[in-house]
Amino acid sequence: MKKKITVIQVLLILVVICCGGYTTKYFYDSHKAQTGFEELKQEVEAHSPKGDVVSRANNGMLEKYYGLYTRNNDMVGWLNIPGTVVDYPVVRHTDNDFYLHKNFDKEYQFSGIPFLDYQCYDGTLNSIIYAHNMRDGSMFAVITKFTDKAFYDAHKSITYDSLYNEEKYEIIAAFTTKVGADNEFKYYNYADMDDKRQFDEYVSTAKLLSFYDTGVTAQYGDKLLTLSTCAHRASNDRFVIVAKKV
């Protein structure tokens, strides 16, 4: 009996050590990732003009993003939700899986980086951006707080700059949907909406599923922004925010 208890104790100790090691590595990687993003933000700030002045590189690109673009020409813009940790560059690749676990410099990073859906392009009406829901609150973890109307009231707008223009968006709807469910809203199929019927269907469905009425809607021709993350880290639920360009 004593031998059996000893073996169990040893196994429990090993489990605790493994779990502790995994947790330590997870938060170390998260800290390293955030440090990397802070460096990118500092580079943007160093090339940002003072006040309302718009400074451009020779190719017409916003000067503040030109340096990062030359470092990685997969960069397509910069996303910020004022008052939250969401303040990241956005990249795009022909394969949506490419940046799931890579950083801005295409090196391994568990948290990845926000990326634009491969179906989106410069003239698309709906820019769909994905990022992980991280336990440390980074990436898109914060957007799940939009279930709370009070949180929405304090964070109604989003800034999403392209490489050439500074753009502001108002949130239309915040909702969840389950991938693979019979009643799933396949929002990810609405990147390139080429007719009014499809556009109206997307906006009306998003507002119907929304946790609350924001009082904001969109008309065909408005530019949309959609943010998506896992609603629950171990399920097929997705949390989605839809916004329109002001």
Side-chain angles (χ1 to χ4, degrees):
M1 184 67 178
K2 289 183 180 180
K3 183 178 180 180
K4 185 176 181 181
I5 293 175
T6 302
V7 170
I8 292 174
Q9 288 174 334
V10 169
L11 290 174
L12 287 173
I13 291 171
L14 289 174
V15 168
V16 170
I17 291 174
C18 289
C19 289
Y22 173 81
T23 301
T24 300
K25 185 178 186 307
Y26 179 92
F27 284 100
Y28 169 78
D29 289 346
S30 296
H31 174 73
K32 184 178 179 181
Q34 288 305 111
T35 299
F37 285 123
E38 285 300 321
E39 292 174 354
L40 297 178
K41 283 192 285 186
Q42 288 173 11
E43 183 169 341
V44 170
E45 290 169 1
H47 293 88
S48 297
K50 303 299 181 182
D52 297 328
V53 177
V54 176
S55 178
R56 297 186 181 276
N58 291 335
N59 65 349
M61 189 177 293
L62 292 171
E63 182 72 36
K64 59 184 176 180
Y65 300 133
Y66 182 72
L68 293 185
Y69 177 77
T70 58
R71 179 169 160 182
N72 179 359
N73 58 21
D74 283 344
M75 182 178 175
V76 293
W78 193 282
L79 179 71
N80 174 237
I81 302 179
T84 76
V85 300
V86 178
D87 194 8
Y88 303 117
V90 179
V91 292
R92 178 187 177 277
H93 195 274
T94 53
D95 177 1
N96 271 358
D97 291 337
F98 186 82
Y99 281 102
L100 277 174
H101 298 296
K102 286 186 175 66
N103 65 11
F104 187 79
D105 294 313
K106 304 180 183 180
E107 300 165 340
Y108 178 79
Q109 177 174 288
F110 181 74
S111 62
I113 184 173
F115 61 92
L116 186 68
D117 192 293
Y118 78 95
Q119 302 170 92
C120 299
Y121 53 91
D122 288 343
T124 190
L125 283 182
N126 187 17
S127 296
I128 305 175
I129 301 175
Y130 307 96
H132 291 298
N133 178 355
M134 298 298 291
R135 294 178 185 176
D136 66 349
S138 63
M139 294 295 98
F140 279 3
V142 72
I143 75 170
T144 62
K145 294 184 179 181
F146 279 93
T147 52
D148 183 1
K149 180 65 162 51
F151 188 83
Y152 158 76
D153 287 336
H155 306 86
K156 293 183 177 182
S157 64
I158 300 172
T159 298
Y160 176 51
D161 294 345
S162 70
L163 295 176
Y164 295 89
N165 297 291
E166 297 177 337
E167 301 179 353
K168 187 175 180 180
Y169 291 77
E170 291 180 310
I171 295 174
I172 294 174
F175 61 90
T176 57
T177 186
K178 184 181 286 292
V179 175
D182 291 339
N183 62 342
E184 176 194 357
F185 176 33
K186 298 181 179 180
Y187 62 93
Y188 45 82
N189 285 340
Y190 289 81
D192 186 15
M193 296 179 284
D194 55 6
D195 62 61
K196 184 177 184 300
R197 178 200 60 78
Q198 195 176 26
F199 184 94
D200 290 345
E201 178 181 78
Y202 184 72
V203 172
S204 62
T205 304
K207 288 184 67 63
L208 179 66
L209 294 175
S210 185
F211 295 110
Y212 39 78
D213 182 8
T214 64
V216 182
T217 190
Q219 306 298 324
Y220 182 62
D222 285 337
K223 190 173 182 180
L224 301 180
L225 174 67
T226 298
L227 309 183
S228 171
T229 193
C230 294
H232 305 290
R233 299 179 186 92
S235 75
N236 290 328
D237 288 358
R238 297 291 182 270
F239 197 103
V240 184
I241 289 176
V242 177
K244 78 165 183 179
K245 183 181 174 183
V246 178

